Amino acid sequence: MTSNGASTKKRGTFAWALWDWAEQPYPTIMQTFIFPVYLAGAVAGADVQADAQLGVATAIAGVILALIAPVLGRRSDDTGRRKFWLMFNTYLLVGIMIASFFVRPAPEFFLIGLVLYGAGSVIQESALINYYAMLKSVTTEKNIGRVSGYAWGLGYAGGIVLLAISLAGFIMAEVPWFGVSTDDSIHIRAVFLFSAAWTLVFSIPLMIRVPEIAKNPNARKETILQSYQSIWAQLKSLRAQAPETLKFLISSAIYRDGLAGVFTFGAVLGSLAFGFTQTEIIIFGIAANIVSGIGAVIGGRLDDIFGSRSIIIASLVGLIISGSAVFFFYDYGVITYWIGGLALCLFVGPAQASSRTFVSRFTPAGREGEVFGLYQFTGRAVSFMSGTFWALSITMANSVLGVKDATIWGIWGLMLILIVGLFLLTRVHPRPTVLESK
């Protein structure tokens, strides 16, 4: 490759990584630290179990994604529209964040808030199929782990900036930026508009710098129904060509749902179990993103040395120990959430980044979108688990054990998922062999 070509690919790599920064408002603001806390606190009525309802919304979103994910990636591979669908879903997310501004702090808006919360989850996960599929095209075998980890760390850095601006510019400011009023929680809702603008602007480099893939000349035109009918043949083909990759998809589906649950319900846990205010949740969120970013960057560098599976296993063990400690030391109060919660964050980033790296390393060439579609499908096929086990653990503690404030018990549902996922991961070969397609 010429120096000019290398420079062009380098710019494409950075533009790809910057999308992690661009889409960060959804996981940070809309999924974890502000929007769900706003829904559970300011919007939901006093007689509503907001924590359990959020779990139900998460479960429903997972079922919907499981129904559509298997065909999304493969169709984008065949039609050569991988970047197109990534950008399409990115701007749908922008629309979701704008719509969230109109969810007022009144019980009658709680249902629409839950719908937007769940719809955003489906759209974001759909976008990730094509985003992850691009990883191999912007990296080399020697730096794929590092680039994936750096990109994840860049996303966390974006989360830090977002939360700092949200706190200083809108939520804690005596006079919020741009003259925004504090009446009717407009200063909090304005954060959702700021988030939409953030995603809109910072997603532009990927659209410009990363080239679209070529259309598969051998692909036959098929309807969506035919795409679903082809799933079984697709799975058999992948099992023959990359059997360990298929096993990894199954094992990772379990533990990744546990990881998603840790982030999804983390802020709710801090708010309802440990009594954190909205401001304290955001301060914790800033610290959490710093720790998570450090973990992702370190994990990415170690990934290229020790392999993706080793990093994931170490991270899952750390998560299980940290999560258990949060429960057992609950009576010590907020210090438990600060120490245990940040420990959880330290291990989430490496587990997530190395998971997508593992799939990229051991996916047959030309099937990246297809396999990452299965990656999202297998994950979302069981994504009802985190919401269901979270809600079930809380409900059982309340009804069977008579625990009045049972939110902390939800963490056991998440830990159980991680333990099962860890066991299945140990059955996967650390460096699978991928056969050439015939």
Side-chain angles (χ1 to χ4, degrees), residues 265-286:
F265 301 111
V268 175
L269 186 69
S271 175
L272 299 183
F274 290 93
F276 275 41
T277 64
Q278 176 80 73
T279 299
E280 289 171 333
I281 285 291
I282 294 175
I283 293 173
F284 176 84
I286 293 172

Side-chain angles (χ1 to χ4, degrees), residues 43-90:
V43 181
D47 58 339
V48 175
Q49 269 194 306
D51 51 355
Q53 292 295 326
L54 285 167
V56 172
T58 302
I60 292 173
V63 171
I64 293 173
L65 186 69
L67 293 174
I68 64 175
V71 302
L72 295 181
R74 183 162 67 89
R75 289 176 70 87
S76 67
D77 282 345
D78 290 344
T79 60
R81 306 189 79 185
R82 184 178 294 167
K83 184 173 72 171
F84 170 84
W85 285 113
L86 172 60
M87 301 312 300
F88 180 82
N89 285 300
T90 297

Side-chain angles (χ1 to χ4, degrees), residues 101 170 176-178 180-181 185-196:
F101 170 79
F170 296 96
W177 289 358
F178 312 114
V180 172
S181 172
S185 297
I186 292 179
H187 61 306
I188 295 176
R189 293 154 54 198
V191 173
F192 310 147
L193 293 180
F194 174 75
S195 297

Side-chain angles (χ1 to χ4, degrees), residues 1 5-18 20 82-83 86 130-148 151 205-206 209-213 356 360 368:
M1 180 181 288
S7 177
T8 300
K9 182 167 184 176
K10 187 175 182 180
R11 289 198 298 270
T13 301
F14 177 74
W16 177 87
L18 190 63
D20 256 315
R82 184 178 294 167
K83 184 173 72 171
L86 172 60
N130 290 298
Y131 178 63
Y132 291 169
M134 292 177 176
L135 175 57
K136 187 182 288 186
S137 67
V138 297
T139 59
T140 66
E141 178 62 29
K142 292 183 178 180
N143 71 4
I144 187 171
R146 184 165 68 253
V147 169
S148 181
L206 185 146
R209 295 291 186 183
V210 179
E212 182 63 275
I213 62 171
R356 71 181 178 189
S360 292
E368 291 86 0

